[in-house]
Amino acid sequence: MKFAKLAVAAIALAATPALANDQVAAGATVTGPEGNAVGTIVSVENGQAVLDTGKHKVPLGVDMYGQGEAGPTITVTKAQLDGMIDGQLAEAAAKRDAALVVGAEAMAADHAALGTILEINGDNIILARGGDEMNKVTLLRDHFDATDHGLMARLTNAQIDAAMAQAAPASSDAAE
């Protein structure tokens, strides 16, 4: 008899998760601790709800949201959340810029070798693909991140090759 009661209790708990918040749905307006709007949830997927503050799109775990009278809530204001994201982006940009130096080796997004930085002209980063100075490619500063594994492009070699192939016919047509 005790086993049956435990089984029923287990089924009931599984059917109603403790942290379920049905207010967290695409289109919902999220408010902060002062009751002011922080942003709108644009998508909910795999336990993450993407909150659009108007300045940033911030993925937050569904369990980060509370339930309010008018909809989901979070414990920070829009200004605080935007400030936190601005700080994280500035820190990441500073690390990237410190890693972008002539002679640095870069890898592609899929961790394959990409090339060596030959020149930096403002936001244009010129690389020798595979170390071959006759096989150059120019990417933008924003195409790179500094990771624990080193300097990494946000593109794979295949994506770079595809972009170069699309650009090549246009430039050869213009030359004719």
Side-chain angles (χ1 to χ4, degrees):
M1 186 68 159
K2 288 183 184 179
F3 176 75
K5 288 181 184 178
L6 289 174
V8 170
I11 291 169
L13 287 174
T16 56
L19 297 177
N21 184 346
D22 59 359
Q23 292 181 331
V24 179
T29 298
V30 177
T31 57
E34 298 166 354
N36 296 334
V38 176
T40 303
I41 297 174
V42 293
S43 66
V44 180
E45 190 174 313
N46 299 322
Q48 295 285 310
V50 178
L51 177 62
D52 185 348
T53 68
K55 183 174 185 180
H56 298 291
K57 290 187 179 173
V58 184
L60 297 172
V62 171
D63 59 344
M64 300 291 292
Y65 295 87
Q67 291 186 351
E69 290 179 25
T73 62
I74 60 174
T75 60
V76 295
T77 66
K78 178 185 179 325
Q80 289 170 327
L81 184 58
D82 282 339
M84 285 186 267
I85 300 303
D86 288 342
Q88 290 174 358
L89 291 173
E91 182 180 335
K95 286 180 182 178
R96 176 209 53 214
D97 291 347
L100 280 171
V101 295
V102 172
E105 294 293 323
M107 67 183 112
D110 56 2
H111 296 272
L114 175 59
T116 306
I117 297 177
L118 294 176
E119 295 177 49
I120 300 172
N121 296 322
D123 286 336
N124 295 317
I125 311 302
I126 302 165
L127 296 116
R129 292 188 74 190
D132 179 0
E133 291 192 23
M134 298 304 292
N135 186 11
K136 296 179 185 178
V137 64
T138 301
L139 299 176
L140 296 174
R141 179 177 302 276
D142 287 343
H143 289 146
F144 292 92
D145 289 310
T147 71
D148 292 341
H149 303 290
L151 187 60
M152 182 179 288
R154 294 180 179 184
L155 305 164
T156 65
N157 279 306
Q159 289 170 317
I160 294 168
D161 291 340
M164 290 176 67
Q166 284 182 335
S171 62
S172 63
D173 289 345
E176 292 177 10

